Amino acid sequence: MTEETQHKVKEIKQSLRQLMNGVTAKSMREKGMDYHLSWGASIPDLQKMAAEYGKDYSLAIELWKENIRECKILATMIMPPEEMPVEIVELWMEQTPSLEVAEQAAFNLYQHLDEASVLAFQWIASDNDFEQVCGYHVLSRLFMKGMTPDERGLNEVIDQVLTALQGASYPVRRAAVSCLQWLGRQGEEYAQIIRSATKSYDLGLF
């Protein structure tokens, strides 16, 4: 770590202390979020801080190493997606400590990767809840942007969603259903296929 990056990390941690929200931090602890520290800072506050620092690969790497909620979320906001190698993506995914960080990583960073769709399909087929949530959120964002899967991809999404709907994880089920909603909005052909495949679940998507 360069002296400049080290100074920025120290500066950020000092700023986070000033944003401390004890009520939010306590609520996170009670929900079992496993961080060494959590200041309870809001996402808008973190977005503002991220905008001040801009995209910075080295700083993102160092912030992610901190077992602090806000540092990890900030890391996902300032990591330049075009500079992030797949190896680092996989490492961060393995080290993701909470559902919140998984969701923030998907929204702030992973959807913008060149390999976004490939990784998303890998993740929705995982048995790890955080990976599945990330995968479905990334696909949702790609569908929102107008990406449409080929026949094989469509069948894969539907098969994995049907599996998720039978699972015990509510966050995974919620993310999976949201993904189907966005896919169905890409055209009546997709909506019809989804309705047919999920009719026994009465999801009422379209």
Side-chain angles (χ1 to χ4, degrees):
M1 182 181 1
T2 66
E3 187 173 334
E4 180 183 5
T5 299
Q6 186 175 16
H7 173 73
K8 287 181 180 178
V9 171
K10 182 179 179 181
E11 186 178 62
I12 286 171
K13 290 164 78 172
Q14 290 173 341
S15 297
L16 290 172
R17 291 188 184 96
Q18 297 173 6
L19 294 173
M20 182 175 180
N21 184 322
V23 174
T24 302
K26 180 182 178 182
S27 174
M28 290 176 180
R29 288 194 298 271
E30 291 174 347
K31 292 175 181 175
M33 295 187 182
D34 186 21
Y35 303 105
H36 175 63
L37 281 176
S38 173
W39 301 108
S42 69
I43 296 302
D45 281 337
L46 296 179
Q47 290 171 334
K48 182 178 178 181
M49 189 178 295
E52 292 172 357
Y53 283 91
K55 298 298 183 183
D56 187 326
Y57 176 87
S58 298
L59 181 57
I61 290 293
E62 296 305 323
L63 285 173
W64 182 265
K65 293 177 182 178
E66 301 285 339
N67 191 14
I68 300 173
R69 166 187 173 265
E70 289 78 5
C71 288
K72 290 196 180 295
I73 293 174
L74 272 173
T76 70
M77 292 177 174
I78 67 175
M79 170 63 79
E82 69 278 3
E83 296 181 26
M84 191 181 196
V86 173
E87 294 78 13
I88 299 298
V89 177
E90 293 173 344
L91 177 64
W92 282 23
M93 181 59 78
E94 289 175 9
Q95 297 174 345
T96 297
S98 71
L99 178 63
E100 180 188 30
V101 171
E103 291 178 334
Q104 287 296 315
F107 298 146
N108 301 328
L109 179 59
Y110 297 153
Q111 65 161 315
H112 303 298
L113 299 172
D114 289 340
E115 309 86 355
S117 61
V118 174
L119 290 169
F121 275 103
Q122 291 176 6
W123 291 336
I124 64 173
S126 167
D127 58 3
N128 179 286
D129 286 0
F130 293 165
E131 290 188 10
Q132 290 184 63
V133 167
C134 259
Y136 285 121
H137 282 320
V138 169
L139 284 177
S140 292
R141 292 289 168 147
L142 294 178
F143 296 150
M144 288 169 65
K145 297 174 186 176
M147 186 200 88
T148 54
D150 58 19
E151 182 178 357
R152 179 179 177 183
L154 175 61
N155 290 333
E156 176 71 7
V157 171
I158 291 175
D159 287 347
Q160 294 300 338
V161 169
L162 292 178
T163 300
L165 290 174
Q166 299 172 41
S169 173
Y170 172 72
V172 172
R173 295 199 306 271
R174 182 183 62 185
V177 171
S178 177
C179 181
L180 277 190
Q181 287 178 314
W182 284 109
L183 176 56
R185 292 175 185 174
Q186 302 312 305
E188 179 56 31
E189 177 186 0
Y190 291 104
Q192 186 174 350
I193 292 172
I194 291 169
R195 280 195 297 266
S196 175
T198 62
K199 59 184 177 181
S200 62
Y201 291 91
D202 192 26
L203 299 177
L205 295 178
F206 315 107

